[in-house]
């Protein structure tokens, strides 16, 4: 079960506050449900108190709504279900969530994003026709541009959603000229990267990073313990990855190409919905040049190196018309560093 008792409350919540909890529940199962959407659901009783909270189980398991409703039991009657995605209306591996909501006797359903999948959509209308008050598109941009973005991108394009992670100084360097790069950003930023990795399906680097750093690319906690959900580790480039490289082992894959479109095709064939590209500079530039970057996560340390290895290293000559712009979504302080999140402009 993907139920979250710590999200239950003893005080009534507004729809907006309840949606924030539903987003939290969805975030917690992110990376474990694809190709199914990582939906979050909270159930409020008739007084607005949270009595159920759940996220989608891995493929073949239960959706978020029936789990949250089971947790709520009779207290769901006359209450409200707050869901990040429109409740599904079709019999797949599991029965439709709309039926579960009706049987549980909820009076209202509030959801953020309409289901773009024609097979599963129509839940909103089905519920309205049976006398349940439905509020759709509630806080939709927060969800559609936020944690559900990769899945919505996959639904629309059948291509992986690419987030480019960079980490560097204020003057844009990822390493010093002697290639030392450890601890440019602080422990909070590094811990954040590990949580982020645990929510992705795959992490991608170039062969240059493997040769220079021999990274493990696993998701670990501050004690070095592996997180319960680990992304696949993908290396792009033609150079053979050494037999004893730490990145090898279960969940390792090399894609031998310089053509980013080909790499995207291979990842699409692997049904990868949510991919984090961690560099290095040449691979990062290649993804940008191929217009293949959907979102940015840029960790910036308030520090200068004045020379070194830039966070991206692409063509020698550019003009201002070549600029690749993104739209800032959020700016967060992590210890002494800053995380800028942006999406394709
Ligand atoms: N601070 C950070 O966030 C960060 C992150 C990662 C790396 N780094 C640093 O980056 C350095 C490595 O830099 P790098 O640029 O050599 O690493 P890289 O970008 O990881 O690897 C470059 C390799 O990627 C392959 N590749 C695949 N498609 C390509 C394309 N379209 N264009 C160019 N190359 C393509 C090529 O491999 P083949 O030649 O094998 O075909 C190329 O040699 C290390 O010092 C590492 O510490 C820093």
């Amino acid at each position: 079960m993907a139920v979250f008792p710590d999200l239950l409350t003893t005080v009534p919540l507004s729809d907006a506050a309840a949606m924030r909890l539903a987003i939290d529940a969805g975030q917690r199962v992110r990376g474990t449900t694809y190709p199914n959407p990582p939906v979050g659901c909270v159930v409020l009783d008739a007084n607005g108190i949270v009595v159920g909270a759940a996220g989608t189980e891995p493929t073949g398991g239960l959706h978020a709504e029936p789990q949250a409703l089971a947790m709520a039991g009779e207290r769901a009657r006359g209450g409200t279900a707050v869901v990040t995605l429109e409740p599904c209306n079709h019999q797949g591996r599991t029965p439709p969530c709309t039926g579960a909501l009706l049987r549980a006797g909820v009076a209202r359903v509030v959801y953020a994003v309409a289901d773009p999948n024609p097979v599963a959509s129509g839940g909103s209308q089905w519920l309205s026709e049976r006398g349940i008050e439905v509020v759709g598109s509630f806080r939709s941009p927060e969800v559609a541009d936020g944690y559900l973005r990769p899945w919505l991108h996959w639904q629309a394009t059948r291509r992986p959603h690419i987030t480019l992670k960079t980490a560097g100084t204020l003057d844009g360097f990822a390493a010093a000229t002697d290639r030392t790069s450890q601890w440019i950003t602080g422990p909070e930023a590094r811990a954040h990267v590990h949580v982020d990795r645990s929510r992705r399906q795959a992490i991608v680097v170039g062969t240059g990073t493997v040769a220079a750093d021999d990274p493990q690319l696993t998701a670990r906690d501050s004690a070095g313990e592996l997180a319960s959900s680990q992304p696949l580790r993908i290396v792009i480039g033609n150079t053979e990855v050494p037999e004893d490289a730490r990145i090898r082992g279960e969940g390792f894959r090399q894609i031998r190409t310089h053509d980013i479109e080909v790499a995207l095709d291979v990842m699409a064939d692997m049904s990868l919905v949510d991919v984090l590209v961690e560099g290095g500079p040449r691979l990062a530039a290649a993804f940008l040049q191929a217009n293949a970057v959907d979102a940015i996560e840029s960790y910036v340390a308030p520090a200068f190196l004045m020379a070194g290895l830039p966070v991206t290293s692409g063509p020698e000559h550019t003009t201002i018309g070549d600029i690749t712009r993104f739209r800032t979504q959020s700016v967060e302080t992590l210890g002494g560093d800053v995380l800028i999140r942006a999406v394709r402009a």
Side-chain angles (χ1 to χ4, degrees), residues 161-182:
H161 179 275
I162 303 293
T163 301
L164 174 64
K165 181 214 123 183
T166 64
T169 59
L170 275 178
D171 46 356
F173 292 110
T177 18
D178 66 358
R179 297 284 164 133
T180 48
S181 67
Q182 277 206 311

Side-chain angles (χ1 to χ4, degrees), residues 280-290 309-318:
R282 281 185 288 163
L283 193 69
F287 269 87
L288 286 164
Q289 270 186 289
L309 193 71
V311 290
T312 70
S313 162
E316 290 281 302
H317 300 288
T318 57

